[in-house]
């Protein structure tokens, strides 16, 4: 696979991808970062009450956030920072439940954590 003019491709701009890209770039390596989500402005990422509470209730009722609403952080910050589970479903063995908070935006879940 020819990835020129890049030496490396990093998929995802979260904490992991961001640090990987920085570390490689600091060595003079040409890095391409691919991100699935949009760039969210600071005021858009912030929590806004009571709007966020209404959005959270909607996320529960529509099942858009059926799993992620079980995470305590969901109730503390902007629910827009949690992926739509209907569009991005995941599976796990019934005996080994796994609660996955997904954040599909530039910066990934570092925005969610920062918000909390
Ligand atoms: C509410 C909350 C509180 C937290 N509190 C703490 C804490 O106190 N201390 C702590 O250490 N950690 C905390 N965390 C965890 C920490 O935020 C995460 O572990 C960390 O941000 C994960 O980084 P990551 O880069 O591995 O993944 P993510 O941040 O999930 O980044 C993945 C990135 O990849 C992108 N992506 C996914 N699929 C594709 C694709 N196919 N193509 C291109 N891009 C793609 C996503 O859009 C996203 O930007 C918290 C998390 C949450 C949600």
């Amino acid at each position: 696979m020819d990835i020129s003019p890049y030496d490396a491709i990093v998929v995802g701009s979260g904490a992991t991808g961001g640090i990987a890209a920085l570390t490689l770039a600091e060595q003079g390596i040409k890095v391409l970062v691919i991100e699935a989500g949009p760039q969210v402005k600071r005021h858009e990422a912030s929590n806004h009450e009571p709007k966020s509470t209404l959005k959270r209730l909607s996320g529960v009722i529509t099942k858009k956030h059926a799993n992620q609403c079980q995470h305590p952080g969901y109730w503390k910050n902007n629910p827009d920072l949690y992926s739509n589970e209907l569009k991005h479903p995941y599976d796990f063995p019934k005996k080994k439940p796994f609660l996955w908070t997904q954040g599909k935006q530039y910066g990934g879940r570092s925005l969610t954590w920062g918000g909390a």
Side-chain angles (χ1 to χ4, degrees):
M1 183 178 148
D2 180 15
I3 61 162
S4 58
Y6 302 100
D7 301 314
I9 297 177
V10 172
V11 180
S13 66
T16 310
I19 291 296
L22 175 69
T23 306
L24 292 167
E26 282 178 344
Q27 303 302 312
I29 294 169
K30 287 184 188 164
V31 187
L32 173 67
V33 177
I34 296 174
E35 170 53 53
Q39 186 153 13
V40 182
K41 295 198 173 104
R42 185 181 293 197
H43 72 274
E44 292 169 338
S46 302
N47 187 36
H48 299 283
E49 296 297 351
K51 213 169 158 184
S52 290
T53 297
L54 296 173
K55 284 183 180 178
R56 286 185 203 106
L57 294 174
S58 165
V60 174
I61 292 164
T62 61
K63 297 195 187 313
K64 193 170 93 173
H65 295 143
N67 289 320
Q68 295 168 109
C69 72
Q70 295 170 56
H71 190 290
Y74 180 76
W75 300 92
K76 293 179 185 162
N77 52 43
N78 189 337
D80 289 341
L81 298 175
Y82 291 79
S83 291
N84 183 339
E85 292 167 29
L86 303 172
K87 287 186 184 167
H88 304 286
Y90 69 97
D91 209 356
F92 48 80
K94 281 206 171 103
K95 285 185 183 170
K96 289 186 179 176
F98 178 68
L99 177 54
W100 188 18
T101 54
Q102 300 182 65
K104 282 215 174 356
Q105 60 268 329
Y106 185 77
R109 284 172 290 169
S110 62
L111 274 72
T112 327
W113 175 13

XYZ file of all heavy atoms in Angstrom, residues 11-95:
656
model
N -5.127 6.346 12.899
C -6.591 6.361 12.822
C -7.151 6.748 14.185
O -6.961 6.043 15.168
C -7.142 4.984 12.376
C -8.664 5.009 12.301
C -6.548 4.589 11.023
N -7.817 7.902 14.232
C -8.414 8.392 15.474
C -7.562 9.466 16.125
O -6.342 9.330 16.229
N -8.225 10.554 16.535
C -7.501 11.695 17.103
C -7.724 11.827 18.606
O -7.620 12.918 19.157
C -7.949 12.983 16.409
O -9.311 13.238 16.719
N -8.074 10.708 19.261
C -8.255 10.748 20.714
C -6.915 10.836 21.423
O -5.883 11.122 20.807
N -6.928 10.580 22.720
C -5.697 10.666 23.509
C -4.622 9.748 22.935
O -3.450 10.123 22.818
C -5.998 10.299 24.961
N -5.016 8.534 22.557
C -4.045 7.572 22.042
C -3.496 8.007 20.691
O -2.272 8.105 20.508
C -4.709 6.179 21.894
O -5.372 5.864 23.115
C -3.700 5.115 21.569
N -4.387 8.277 19.735
C -3.967 8.689 18.395
C -3.231 10.021 18.422
O -2.237 10.202 17.708
N -3.717 10.931 19.260
C -3.101 12.258 19.344
C -1.653 12.174 19.808
O -0.756 12.788 19.218
N -1.420 11.383 20.856
C -0.054 11.249 21.389
C 0.823 10.465 20.410
O 1.999 10.799 20.204
C -0.061 10.582 22.785
C -0.672 11.529 23.817
C 1.342 10.162 23.215
C 0.108 12.826 24.053
N 0.230 9.431 19.769
C 0.999 8.657 18.782
C 1.438 9.578 17.638
O 2.610 9.561 17.231
C 0.156 7.503 18.247
N 0.508 10.404 17.144
C 0.821 11.313 16.036
C 1.883 12.330 16.447
O 2.827 12.603 15.697
C -0.452 12.030 15.580
N 1.733 12.866 17.654
C 2.710 13.850 18.148
C 4.095 13.217 18.273
O 5.098 13.789 17.823
C 2.260 14.399 19.510
C 3.243 15.351 20.196
C 3.346 16.674 19.441
C 2.830 15.614 21.637
N 4.156 12.029 18.876
C 5.432 11.345 19.093
C 6.125 11.064 17.761
O 7.336 11.289 17.617
C 5.209 10.020 19.871
O 4.494 10.331 21.066
C 6.513 9.350 20.229
N 5.355 10.591 16.777
C 5.928 10.306 15.455
C 6.377 11.601 14.771
O 7.485 11.679 14.234
C 4.891 9.580 14.581
C 4.527 8.155 15.018
C 3.289 7.668 14.275
C 5.705 7.208 14.777
N 5.519 12.625 14.820
C 5.832 13.892 14.146
C 7.080 14.540 14.734
O 7.884 15.142 14.014
C 4.641 14.844 14.234
N 7.248 14.391 16.062
C 8.425 14.974 16.715
C 9.722 14.305 16.262
O 10.792 14.872 16.406
C 8.283 14.872 18.248
C 7.348 15.930 18.802
C 7.142 15.820 20.307
O 7.460 14.766 20.896
O 6.651 16.801 20.889
N 9.591 13.091 15.698
C 10.765 12.381 15.167
C 10.994 12.731 13.694
O 11.831 12.131 13.029
C 10.585 10.864 15.300
C 10.331 10.367 16.721
C 11.428 10.751 17.692
O 12.604 10.562 17.397
N 11.051 11.318 18.832
N 10.174 13.638 13.164
C 10.327 14.032 11.766
C 9.552 13.149 10.800
O 9.719 13.257 9.581
N 8.729 12.290 11.348
C 7.930 11.393 10.507
C 6.681 12.133 10.034
O 6.017 12.816 10.823
C 7.566 10.110 11.314
C 8.842 9.324 11.606
C 6.536 9.260 10.589
C 8.689 8.202 12.601
N 6.375 11.997 8.735
C 5.183 12.660 8.197
C 3.952 11.819 8.522
O 3.839 10.673 8.096
C 5.308 12.828 6.676
C 6.311 13.897 6.277
C 6.317 14.064 4.780
C 7.444 14.976 4.356
N 7.717 14.884 2.921
N 3.061 12.406 9.290
C 1.908 11.654 9.811
C 0.598 12.195 9.252
O 0.389 13.405 9.182
C 1.851 11.754 11.364
C 0.775 10.844 11.925
C 3.191 11.434 11.981
N -0.278 11.274 8.873
C -1.636 11.631 8.480
C -2.567 11.103 9.564
O -2.531 9.919 9.890
C -1.995 10.994 7.130
C -3.452 11.143 6.671
C -3.786 12.603 6.353
C -3.724 10.273 5.451
N -3.387 11.993 10.148
C -4.361 11.564 11.152
C -5.740 11.542 10.502
O -6.154 12.547 9.906
C -4.366 12.498 12.392
C -5.436 12.058 13.391
C -2.999 12.519 13.058
N -6.403 10.398 10.600
C -7.764 10.265 10.054
C -8.750 10.220 11.223
O -8.569 9.446 12.169
C -7.888 8.969 9.210
C -6.966 9.055 7.997
C -9.328 8.752 8.767
C -6.897 7.784 7.180
N -9.753 11.073 11.168
C -10.725 11.156 12.263
C -12.136 11.013 11.695
O -12.487 11.665 10.718
C -10.552 12.499 12.997
C -11.622 12.830 14.002
C -11.850 11.734 15.035
O -10.900 11.294 15.692
O -13.022 11.302 15.170
N -12.943 10.154 12.336
C -14.296 9.872 11.843
C -15.290 10.971 12.196
O -16.275 11.178 11.491
C -14.787 8.539 12.406
N -15.023 11.676 13.287
C -16.012 12.645 13.770
C -15.666 14.077 13.405
O -14.597 14.362 12.877
N -16.605 14.981 13.721
C -16.391 16.396 13.415
C -15.530 17.096 14.464
O -15.345 16.577 15.572
C -17.814 16.970 13.463
C -18.512 16.118 14.477
C -17.906 14.747 14.354
N -15.039 18.270 14.098
C -14.349 19.108 15.084
C -15.428 19.882 15.843
O -16.249 20.565 15.222
C -13.390 20.075 14.386
C -12.551 20.864 15.373
C -11.218 21.305 14.784
O -11.007 21.229 13.576
N -10.332 21.767 15.622
N -15.441 19.727 17.150
C -16.480 20.353 17.967
C -15.894 21.580 18.652
O -14.825 21.493 19.264
C -16.996 19.340 19.030
C -18.105 19.948 19.867
C -17.477 18.059 18.360
N -16.600 22.705 18.536
C -16.108 23.928 19.187
C -16.318 23.830 20.696
O -17.193 23.096 21.161
C -16.847 25.140 18.626
C -16.555 25.385 17.159
C -16.925 26.807 16.760
C -16.471 27.063 15.337
N -17.558 27.031 14.380
N -15.497 24.574 21.449
C -15.517 24.459 22.899
C -16.926 24.663 23.488
O -17.392 23.898 24.315
C -14.559 25.479 23.516
C -14.443 25.328 25.028
C -13.534 26.337 25.627
N -12.155 26.131 25.212
C -11.105 26.665 25.822
N -11.288 27.434 26.874
N -9.896 26.447 25.402
N -17.632 25.696 23.027
C -18.959 25.954 23.598
C -19.954 24.843 23.233
O -20.899 24.583 23.976
C -19.486 27.330 23.185
C -19.906 27.436 21.752
N -19.017 27.744 20.748
C -21.112 27.256 21.158
C -19.670 27.751 19.593
N -20.936 27.452 19.810
N -19.696 24.166 22.097
C -20.583 23.054 21.697
C -20.328 21.827 22.572
O -21.224 21.030 22.826
C -20.338 22.672 20.234
C -20.777 23.731 19.244
C -20.278 23.454 17.820
O -19.290 22.713 17.650
O -20.883 23.987 16.897
N -19.072 21.656 23.001
C -18.710 20.495 23.814
C -19.144 20.663 25.272
O -19.346 19.682 25.979
C -17.199 20.264 23.749
N -19.313 21.925 25.694
C -19.650 22.178 27.102
C -21.053 21.680 27.445
O -21.894 21.518 26.567
C -19.581 23.680 27.397
O -18.303 24.162 27.113
N -21.257 21.489 28.738
C -22.575 21.060 29.220
C -23.485 22.277 29.363
O -23.073 23.292 29.911
C -22.411 20.367 30.574
C -23.701 19.759 31.052
O -24.478 19.252 30.240
N -23.959 19.820 32.337
N -24.699 22.173 28.827
C -25.653 23.284 28.945
C -26.948 22.761 29.553
O -27.671 22.006 28.915
C -25.941 23.903 27.565
C -24.721 24.464 26.894
N -24.178 25.672 27.265
C -23.950 23.978 25.905
C -23.098 25.912 26.500
N -22.936 24.889 25.677
N -27.206 23.170 30.802
C -28.458 22.756 31.464
C -29.513 23.849 31.305
O -29.162 25.026 31.260
C -28.200 22.490 32.958
C -27.258 21.340 33.233
C -27.785 19.981 32.749
O -28.968 19.876 32.342
O -27.000 19.037 32.751
N -30.801 23.517 31.187
C -31.396 22.180 31.295
C -31.439 21.410 29.962
O -31.939 20.294 29.913
C -32.812 22.481 31.774
C -33.147 23.790 31.130
C -31.848 24.561 31.066
N -30.854 22.032 28.904
C -30.903 21.404 27.579
C -30.309 19.993 27.601
O -30.856 19.058 27.015
C -30.107 22.290 26.602
C -30.630 22.317 25.202
C -29.908 23.438 24.459
C -29.931 23.241 22.986
N -29.147 24.287 22.291
N -29.159 19.841 28.298
C -28.481 18.541 28.330
C -29.349 17.472 28.995
O -29.363 16.321 28.558
C -27.149 18.656 29.076
O -26.242 19.395 28.305
N -30.073 17.863 30.061
C -30.933 16.895 30.753
C -32.010 16.392 29.807
O -32.299 15.190 29.744
C -31.566 17.529 32.012
O -30.507 17.874 32.907
C -32.515 16.571 32.710
N -32.604 17.307 29.036
C -33.642 16.909 28.068
C -33.052 15.980 27.012
O -33.665 14.987 26.618
C -34.262 18.155 27.415
C -35.022 19.079 28.373
C -35.456 20.352 27.674
C -36.236 18.362 28.963
N -31.826 16.298 26.564
C -31.153 15.448 25.560
C -30.850 14.065 26.135
O -30.943 13.059 25.442
C -29.858 16.112 25.087
C -30.079 17.253 24.126
C -28.744 17.788 23.661
C -28.901 18.935 22.691
N -27.603 19.493 22.279
N -30.455 14.022 27.418
C -30.153 12.731 28.058
C -31.406 11.863 28.119
O -31.371 10.675 27.807
C -29.615 12.948 29.481
C -28.214 13.457 29.514
C -27.707 13.540 30.960
N -26.623 14.496 31.017
C -26.707 15.713 31.541
N -27.838 16.132 32.090
N -25.679 16.525 31.527
N -32.520 12.490 28.522
C -33.780 11.738 28.598
C -34.162 11.219 27.219
O -34.596 10.078 27.067
C -34.888 12.631 29.181
C -34.665 13.042 30.649
C -35.728 14.037 31.093
C -34.663 11.833 31.572
N -33.946 12.041 26.208
C -34.221 11.627 24.828
C -33.302 10.463 24.435
O -33.737 9.506 23.797
C -34.020 12.828 23.894
O -33.934 12.403 22.581
N -32.050 10.536 24.853
C -31.084 9.475 24.544
C -31.487 8.136 25.152
O -31.271 7.086 24.560
N -32.121 8.203 26.338
C -32.583 6.983 27.011
C -33.844 6.455 26.324
O -33.939 5.273 25.984
C -32.863 7.256 28.512
C -33.477 6.042 29.181
C -31.585 7.672 29.225
N -34.803 7.350 26.085
C -36.101 6.946 25.504
C -35.927 6.385 24.087
O -36.504 5.359 23.737
C -37.088 8.141 25.514
C -37.467 8.483 26.959
C -38.345 7.839 24.699
C -38.111 9.846 27.135
N -35.112 7.041 23.290
C -34.920 6.588 21.898
C -33.940 5.412 21.800
O -33.742 4.867 20.721
C -34.361 7.737 21.033
O -33.087 8.127 21.567
C -35.304 8.930 20.985
N -33.305 5.071 22.926
C -32.288 4.007 23.011
C -30.993 4.380 22.286
O -30.138 3.542 22.044
C -32.822 2.664 22.492
C -33.990 2.111 23.293
C -34.191 0.653 22.951
C -35.418 0.018 23.540
N -35.707 0.219 24.904
N -30.885 5.652 21.924
C -29.664 6.144 21.272
C -28.455 5.987 22.202
O -27.333 5.779 21.764
C -29.894 7.629 20.935
C -28.911 8.246 20.009
C -29.379 9.622 19.576
C -28.819 10.699 20.458
N -29.108 12.074 19.986
N -28.751 6.082 23.516
C -27.700 5.967 24.526
C -28.058 4.908 25.573
O -27.734 5.059 26.758
C -27.470 7.328 25.209
C -26.941 8.381 24.284
N -27.309 9.708 24.347
C -26.071 8.284 23.238
C -26.675 10.386 23.389
N -25.930 9.550 22.711
N -28.730 3.845 25.118
C -29.249 2.816 26.042
C -28.172 2.221 26.946
O -28.408 2.003 28.137
C -29.929 1.712 25.244
N -26.986 1.955 26.418
C -25.898 1.400 27.236
C -25.121 2.498 27.944
O -24.860 2.436 29.145
C -24.927 0.595 26.358
C -25.548 -0.698 25.874
O -26.258 -1.377 26.598
N -25.302 -1.025 24.619
N -24.766 3.518 27.176
C -23.877 4.555 27.714
C -24.502 5.341 28.866
O -23.778 5.888 29.708
C -23.452 5.510 26.591
C -22.607 4.800 25.540
C -22.420 5.624 24.286
O -21.342 6.116 24.026
N -23.483 5.784 23.520
N -25.851 5.370 28.926
C -26.503 6.111 30.014
C -26.238 5.434 31.364
O -26.486 6.023 32.410
C -27.997 6.285 29.746
S -28.951 4.774 29.907
N -25.710 4.203 31.329
C -25.380 3.512 32.592
C -24.066 4.023 33.174
O -23.722 3.727 34.310
C -25.263 2.008 32.336
C -26.575 1.390 31.919
C -26.383 -0.042 31.448
O -25.850 -0.865 32.166
N -26.806 -0.327 30.234
N -23.305 4.780 32.368
C -22.047 5.353 32.857
C -22.369 6.638 33.626
O -23.081 7.504 33.101
C -21.129 5.659 31.666
C -19.729 6.020 32.074
N -19.425 7.200 32.707
C -18.563 5.347 31.955
C -18.131 7.243 32.950
N -17.587 6.127 32.507
N -21.861 6.765 34.873
C -22.188 7.968 35.650
C -21.812 9.266 34.949
O -22.470 10.287 35.119
C -21.418 7.782 36.959
C -20.496 6.621 36.752
C -21.014 5.817 35.618
N -20.741 9.215 34.121
C -20.299 10.415 33.408
C -21.349 10.957 32.446
O -21.384 12.161 32.178
N -22.203 10.057 31.961
C -23.243 10.469 31.003
C -24.146 11.548 31.601
O -24.625 12.426 30.904
C -24.062 9.238 30.598
C -25.171 9.531 29.615
C -24.897 9.756 28.268
C -26.506 9.593 30.032
C -25.917 10.028 27.361
C -27.521 9.857 29.130
C -27.228 10.065 27.801
O -28.241 10.346 26.908
N -24.359 11.448 32.912
C -25.290 12.362 33.581
C -24.611 13.646 34.054
O -25.239 14.498 34.681
C -25.970 11.623 34.748
C -26.718 10.451 34.208
C -26.246 9.168 34.067
C -28.015 10.447 33.612
N -27.185 8.384 33.449
C -28.282 9.140 33.160
C -29.005 11.434 33.422
C -29.473 8.782 32.534
C -30.195 11.077 32.798
C -30.415 9.773 32.365
N -23.313 13.772 33.747
C -22.568 14.939 34.232
C -22.120 15.879 33.128
O -21.672 16.989 33.413
C -21.338 14.476 35.019
C -21.689 13.783 36.311
C -20.430 13.322 37.022
C -20.784 12.524 38.259
N -19.671 11.721 38.739
N -22.119 15.399 31.885
C -21.629 16.282 30.827
C -22.512 16.237 29.590
O -23.594 15.658 29.617
C -20.147 16.003 30.506
C -19.907 14.536 30.232
O -20.700 13.916 29.540
N -18.836 13.985 30.770
N -22.037 16.829 28.522
C -22.844 16.997 27.314
C -23.121 15.644 26.634
O -22.185 15.003 26.158
C -22.084 17.941 26.371
C -22.914 18.347 25.184
O -23.857 17.657 24.816
N -22.555 19.463 24.591
N -24.387 15.208 26.565
C -24.695 13.903 25.969
C -24.403 13.838 24.471
O -24.303 12.749 23.907
C -26.191 13.719 26.254
C -26.712 15.079 26.506
C -25.585 15.892 27.060
N -24.211 14.991 23.840
C -23.851 14.997 22.411
C -22.476 14.375 22.180
O -22.123 14.038 21.055
C -23.841 16.433 21.856
C -25.237 17.007 21.734
O -26.207 16.215 21.723
O -25.362 18.237 21.664
N -21.676 14.252 23.257
C -20.336 13.688 23.128
C -20.354 12.153 23.170
O -19.295 11.524 23.157
C -19.420 14.226 24.237
C -19.212 15.753 24.222
C -18.395 16.180 25.423
C -18.533 16.202 22.930
N -21.554 11.579 23.256
C -21.687 10.112 23.256
C -22.281 9.669 21.924
O -23.258 10.259 21.455
C -22.576 9.660 24.418
C -21.926 9.871 25.765
C -21.891 11.132 26.363
C -21.307 8.820 26.430
C -21.270 11.339 27.595
C -20.693 9.016 27.662
C -20.673 10.277 28.233
O -20.060 10.475 29.437
N -21.681 8.630 21.338
C -22.115 8.156 20.022
C -23.539 7.618 20.050
O -24.013 7.133 21.072
C -21.208 7.025 19.542
O -19.946 7.525 19.250
N -24.160 7.690 18.892
C -25.495 7.124 18.715
C -25.354 5.601 18.574
O -24.821 5.107 17.588
C -26.128 7.735 17.458
C -27.543 7.261 17.247
O -27.960 6.227 17.768
N -28.289 8.029 16.476
N -25.805 4.878 19.594
C -25.649 3.411 19.593
C -26.466 2.721 18.508
O -26.172 1.591 18.144
C -26.049 2.842 20.952
C -25.105 3.230 22.058
C -25.680 2.934 23.430
O -26.491 2.008 23.578
O -25.312 3.657 24.369
N -27.491 3.388 18.019
C -28.294 2.790 16.947
C -27.499 2.800 15.648
O -27.644 1.917 14.812
C -29.617 3.558 16.782
C -30.477 3.639 18.053
C -31.661 4.567 17.854
C -30.950 2.247 18.462
N -26.650 3.807 15.499
C -25.794 3.901 14.302
C -24.482 3.166 14.481
O -23.850 2.748 13.513
C -25.500 5.378 13.981
C -26.670 6.121 13.400
C -26.233 7.520 12.991
C -27.406 8.331 12.486
N -27.088 9.757 12.385
N -24.004 3.105 15.725
C -22.709 2.466 16.015
C -22.897 1.391 17.084
O -22.408 1.536 18.212
C -21.692 3.518 16.485
C -21.510 4.650 15.517
N -20.814 4.527 14.346
C -21.968 5.928 15.551
C -20.836 5.675 13.694
N -21.534 6.540 14.400
N -23.631 0.318 16.751
C -23.868 -0.729 17.753
C -22.627 -1.578 17.995
O -21.724 -1.609 17.159
C -24.982 -1.565 17.112
C -24.809 -1.370 15.648
C -24.214 -0.002 15.449
N -22.588 -2.221 19.129
C -21.521 -3.185 19.393
C -22.123 -4.341 20.182
O -23.187 -4.197 20.790
C -20.353 -2.538 20.151
C -20.645 -2.143 21.569
C -20.305 -2.971 22.636
C -21.261 -0.923 21.862
C -20.565 -2.601 23.952
C -21.526 -0.558 23.161
C -21.178 -1.392 24.200
O -21.447 -1.024 25.502
N -21.445 -5.461 20.153
C -21.967 -6.658 20.789
C -20.982 -7.167 21.845
O -19.799 -6.837 21.790
C -22.184 -7.740 19.711
C -23.306 -8.687 20.088
O -23.845 -8.541 21.209
O -23.621 -9.575 19.283
N -21.496 -7.945 22.774
C -20.625 -8.555 23.778
C -21.298 -9.824 24.294
O -22.525 -9.953 24.216
C -20.356 -7.580 24.935
C -21.593 -6.920 25.483
C -22.420 -7.581 26.366
C -21.934 -5.634 25.079
C -23.558 -6.974 26.856
C -23.086 -5.024 25.559
C -23.899 -5.691 26.450
N -20.502 -10.774 24.803
C -21.113 -11.984 25.347
C -21.987 -11.629 26.551
O -21.601 -10.777 27.359
C -19.910 -12.829 25.789
C -18.716 -12.179 25.183
C -19.046 -10.754 24.918
N -23.162 -12.262 26.646
C -24.102 -11.941 27.745
C -23.460 -12.116 29.119
O -23.754 -11.374 30.051
C -25.349 -12.810 27.623
C -26.309 -12.285 26.561
C -27.741 -12.715 26.851
C -28.684 -11.995 25.906
N -29.167 -12.798 24.821
N -22.569 -13.097 29.220
C -21.935 -13.358 30.522
C -20.801 -12.379 30.827
O -20.268 -12.360 31.930
C -21.406 -14.798 30.559
C -22.508 -15.820 30.738
C -21.923 -17.207 30.894
C -23.038 -18.235 31.004
N -22.526 -19.605 30.932
